[in-house]
Amino acid sequence: MKHSDQRCLIQARLILILWAMFFIVMSPLDVTMAACDHAHAHNDYRHDRPLLDALDHGFVGVEADIYLQDGQLLVAHDRDELTPDRTFDGLYLRPLDERVTQQGGHVYADGSDLMLLIDIKADAEAVYVVLDQLLAGYACMLTHCIDGVVTRGPVTVVISGDRPWSTIVNDTTRYVGLDGRLVNLDSILSANLLPLISDRWTSHFTWMGQGDMPTTERAKLRAIVTQAHVQGRQVRFWATPDAPGSAREAVWRVLLEEQVDFINTDDLGGLQTFLQPPLN
């Protein structure tokens, strides 16, 4: 091959490389994805692609159950489902960090934040020690509080389940908030420390989407949400109807009308379609 031909071949290869780099730089993860307000992925880790499926549907809340085993935080609903390859770091924190970095400090193109709800299934104090050290490595993307000074991040971690309540309340360097229950509606804790009020729907309401919601129950729901919002907290219920059908949609519609912040579901596509119906 002549020297000139070699030079042309090298130039052609360089051009191909530069075009590939251009498209990689100009096409960050889901740059056009808009958040699907109110959408919360219950038991998110049971989907084919934990976290990623929820993000592809625009969900602003995802939930992961964790256990501590052999010094690792592993994700599963029950202890007998644990496998060493399903770490909390690998399934959630690293992918989120990569996404936030590639999208200029955001989870979604419209700047919407993500709530990462961690349900500690057992051994709260031991889990928190390991979790706190892990989260410290991702401080730049997390909402955190140091000596009373709060710095907002695109990802807010909230601890649910077996909560080490006193330890978190007294932690002067904190990367998490607490998930309260309805009994905590009157709490004097700050909204940063107690950002969320969650509870089982069926413990407080009998209506499951059949017919109209009783007036007294709707008034109760409205009062709960109003009080929480006055305090700067968000509201979520679990154990609402989740099987496809009119009952589920009736409950979802009431939750939206009464400004409940997060709607729980295992059906990512179903809730996204309900919240963001396709344009005809």
Side-chain angles (χ1 to χ4, degrees):
M1 182 180 293
K2 296 180 179 179
H3 179 72
S4 59
D5 292 334
Q6 288 179 326
R7 186 172 59 184
C8 289
L9 181 59
I10 292 171
Q11 289 176 339
R13 287 174 176 171
L14 285 174
I15 290 172
L16 287 174
I17 292 171
L18 288 173
W19 270 109
M21 291 176 63
F22 173 82
F23 281 111
I24 290 172
V25 171
M26 295 302 291
S27 303
L29 293 174
D30 295 316
V31 71
T32 60
M33 170 59 69
C36 187
D37 292 340
H38 304 283
H40 177 74
H42 174 250
N43 291 340
D44 172 77
Y45 50 89
R46 286 185 160 173
H47 294 292
D48 292 338
R49 298 161 63 242
L51 176 68
L52 302 181
D53 284 344
L55 294 178
D56 283 350
H57 287 84
F59 275 47
V60 293
V62 296
E63 180 178 344
D65 295 357
I66 64 171
Y67 291 88
L68 179 62
Q69 180 170 282
D70 299 328
Q72 290 284 327
L73 295 177
L74 303 180
V75 178
H77 191 269
D78 297 304
R79 192 176 289 277
D80 61 5
E81 298 174 349
L82 296 174
T83 58
D85 60 311
R86 290 174 63 83
T87 68
F88 177 66
D89 188 29
L91 290 179
Y92 288 92
L93 294 179
R94 285 204 302 270
L96 276 172
D97 187 53
E98 292 171 3
R99 182 184 179 100
V100 168
T101 299
Q102 291 187 35
Q103 297 203 150
H106 302 290
V107 176
Y108 289 106
D110 62 4
S112 294
D113 296 339
L114 180 80
M115 180 188 72
L116 179 55
L117 185 66
I118 303 174
D119 189 333
I120 299 177
K121 304 301 288 185
D123 308 314
E125 296 293 344
V127 167
Y128 184 65
V129 170
V130 177
L131 178 63
D132 184 57
Q133 294 173 349
L134 181 60
L135 294 177
Y138 296 95
C140 290
M141 76 168 179
L142 301 178
T143 296
H144 56 276
C145 181
I146 300 177
D147 295 326
V149 178
V150 177
T151 301
R152 293 287 306 176
V155 178
T156 296
V157 176
V158 179
I159 302 299
S160 191
D162 187 11
R163 298 154 294 171
W165 192 277
S166 296
T167 300
I168 292 175
V169 168
N170 294 308
D171 198 345
T172 56
T173 300
R174 182 168 46 77
Y175 304 99
V176 305
L178 285 160
D179 180 21
R181 301 291 176 259
L182 289 187
V183 295
N184 303 120
L185 270 176
D186 295 323
S187 175
I188 62 172
L189 297 179
S190 69
N192 171 259
L193 184 52
L194 185 63
L196 182 66
I197 296 292
S198 300
D199 220 316
R200 179 182 293 274
W201 178 262
T202 52
S203 296
H204 303 278
F205 302 96
T206 62
W207 183 67
M208 296 295 284
Q210 302 294 336
D212 294 332
M213 188 177 192
T215 302
T216 54
E217 292 201 352
R218 184 146 187 161
K220 178 181 179 180
L221 176 61
R222 184 171 301 167
I224 289 168
V225 174
T226 298
Q227 184 174 352
H229 286 179
V230 166
Q231 296 171 329
R233 312 186 206 282
Q234 296 179 302
V235 178
R236 176 184 71 100
F237 290 97
W238 73 87
T240 56
D242 205 35
S246 59
R248 180 177 77 173
E249 293 203 359
V251 174
W252 285 354
R253 191 168 295 107
V254 165
L255 294 177
L256 277 180
E257 291 170 355
E258 298 304 331
Q259 301 180 53
V260 172
D261 300 277
F262 295 101
I263 298 177
N264 245 41
T265 191
D266 294 319
D267 182 359
L268 303 180
L271 183 55
Q272 183 187 26
T273 299
F274 175 81
L275 294 171
Q276 297 176 336
L279 299 175
N280 294 323

